[in-house]
Amino acid sequence: MDDIFKALADPSRRTLLDLLYEKDGRTLNELCNHLQMSRFGVMKHLRILEEAGLITTRKVGREKYHYLNPVSIRQIYDRWVSKYAEPWAAGLTMLKKELESEPIVAQKPRHINRIAIKTSPERVWGALTNPEMTSKFWYNGALRGELRAGCPYEIWNPQGEVQARGEFLAVEPPRRLVMTWQLLIQPETAGEKPSRLTWEIEPHAEFPGVTVVTVVHDEFEEARHTARVLEEGVPIVLSGLKTLLETGRTLV
């Protein structure tokens, strides 16, 4: 939390967050065009934001793209906003949904979320693939299906309904899980084509005993309603995963 608030204290860094909010997935050159400072200065601010967990980066070819990390922002909300200003925050959330109802697509659209968890990659993998564990952090959904590339899966809720379904595209324990995703529980998403979720699980480069979990949601060009639902839902799932593995308790 201290790193997050220190990062937010600088107006240039807040400007960078605003720019990524307006259009996610920008390159360094794009961001430099909006700030009156050197390229090195912008790189320094971006590094501080990334170290605080407020943004994530992804290399595509020779380009490096920068994305907002909603997980850290969600943690600030849970700790400092929800219990003090829930009605005000709810209004802002509705405004955000309205403004983003027609997202601007410059590159191939994708949402990236990342969180650090004090546990091992093996425990993260177990939580993601064990139905008894997924039901504790994934909106009460139990994952059912043979864990093998090319095999179908379903996620069932306690009422015996299928919440989502898809196919495992890549199963590489304990580092990578790729799956198609079709959300069935809501009428506006049930008829959309499947999108794709990629779970990347890596030991932290600097802190032993810490695992970094990255979730990439993409290929949702024909699943816009699903994209909006997962944009809000994935940070909560990751927060629930972190809480469960670090404390043994559920988030809610």
Side-chain angles (χ1 to χ4, degrees), residues 106-133:
Q107 295 92 27
K108 187 175 182 180
R110 61 175 63 191
H111 296 148
I112 299 178
N113 296 272
R114 183 173 293 154
I115 197 167
I117 305 175
K118 193 172 181 60
T119 191
S120 66
E122 289 76 14
R123 287 194 68 215
V124 172
W125 181 267
L128 285 176
T129 56
N130 184 335
E132 293 184 4
M133 295 289 282

Side-chain angles (χ1 to χ4, degrees), residues 82-152:
S82 59
K83 64 181 179 181
Y84 297 119
E86 179 64 32
W88 176 74
L92 286 180
T93 301
M94 291 178 64
L95 176 61
K96 179 178 183 293
K97 286 182 181 178
E98 186 68 23
L99 292 175
E100 293 184 342
S101 60
E102 294 295 335
I104 299 172
V105 181
Q107 295 92 27
K108 187 175 182 180
R110 61 175 63 191
H111 296 148
I112 299 178
N113 296 272
R114 183 173 293 154
I115 197 167
I117 305 175
K118 193 172 181 60
T119 191
S120 66
E122 289 76 14
R123 287 194 68 215
V124 172
W125 181 267
L128 285 176
T129 56
N130 184 335
E132 293 184 4
M133 295 289 282
T134 59
S135 62
K136 295 179 180 179
F137 67 88
W138 205 331
Y139 288 94
N140 299 316
L143 179 68
R144 300 182 185 179
E146 183 180 356
L147 198 62
R148 187 163 57 87
C151 290

Side-chain angles (χ1 to χ4, degrees), residues 143-226:
L143 179 68
R144 300 182 185 179
E146 183 180 356
L147 198 62
R148 187 163 57 87
C151 290
Y153 73 87
E154 294 178 333
I155 294 183
W156 289 68
N157 65 19
Q159 291 73 43
E161 301 169 318
V162 180
Q163 296 183 150
R165 67 184 174 198
E167 176 185 331
F168 293 120
L169 301 178
V171 179
E172 304 168 12
R175 297 297 178 84
R176 186 169 176 264
L177 180 65
V178 186
M179 57 210 301
T180 63
W181 179 268
Q182 186 177 23
L183 188 61
L184 304 176
I185 204 67
Q186 298 185 15
E188 62 269 25
T189 63
E192 294 185 324
K193 291 189 176 181
S195 54
R196 182 175 65 178
L197 281 172
T198 301
W199 299 78
E200 298 173 350
I201 307 164
E202 295 290 340
H204 197 286
E206 299 179 20
F207 303 111
V210 176
T211 298
V212 178
V213 182
T214 303
V215 181
V216 179
H217 181 221
D218 60 3
E219 296 192 356
F220 52 75
E221 292 86 348
E222 297 183 68
R224 296 297 185 181
H225 293 293
T226 300

Side-chain angles (χ1 to χ4, degrees), residues 236-250:
I236 296 174
V237 170
L238 282 176
S239 294
L241 175 64
K242 178 181 176 70
T243 300
L244 180 64
L245 291 177
E246 290 186 345
T247 70
R249 300 190 298 270
T250 59

